[in-house]
Amino acid sequence: MNKNELISSIASSTGLTKTDSAKALDALVSSITNALKKGDEVRLVGFGTFAVTKRAATTGRNPRTGAAIKIPARKQAKFKAGKALQDSVN
């Protein structure tokens, strides 16, 4: 499902217009993104948790040349599915 299909699904299940559904989806994504930028985590009970984790710097290898390369430390967004979501999928 892509973004347009998700917007259509939201519109049909809520009775909102597609424009309003797109605004709601964009607001949700923006709110989650802003919270993760601040270092907060977002918990949606029954759905899952969005959080930021830190990855340490590591050394990797270029597969073509075999030369060692440095991979810098960085922050990474993670999602962990909640129990209700996991149960509904399985």
Side-chain angles (χ1 to χ4, degrees), residues 28-84:
L28 174 70
V29 171
S30 176
S31 296
I32 292 172
T33 301
N34 290 336
L36 293 178
K37 281 182 183 178
K38 292 178 190 174
D40 297 336
E41 69 177 28
V42 178
R43 291 180 189 223
L44 303 173
V45 176
F47 184 72
T49 303
F50 296 90
V52 175
T53 60
K54 294 180 182 177
R55 289 181 55 186
T58 60
T59 302
R61 296 236 173 248
N62 181 333
R64 184 172 291 175
T65 64
I69 57 172
K70 292 181 182 178
I71 301 170
R74 58 181 271 185
K75 294 178 184 177
Q76 183 174 10
K78 298 259 181 159
F79 175 75
K80 182 175 187 228
K83 183 169 176 19

Side-chain angles (χ1 to χ4, degrees), residues 83-90:
K83 183 169 176 19
L85 177 62
Q86 195 66 33
D87 290 344
S88 67
V89 171
N90 289 323

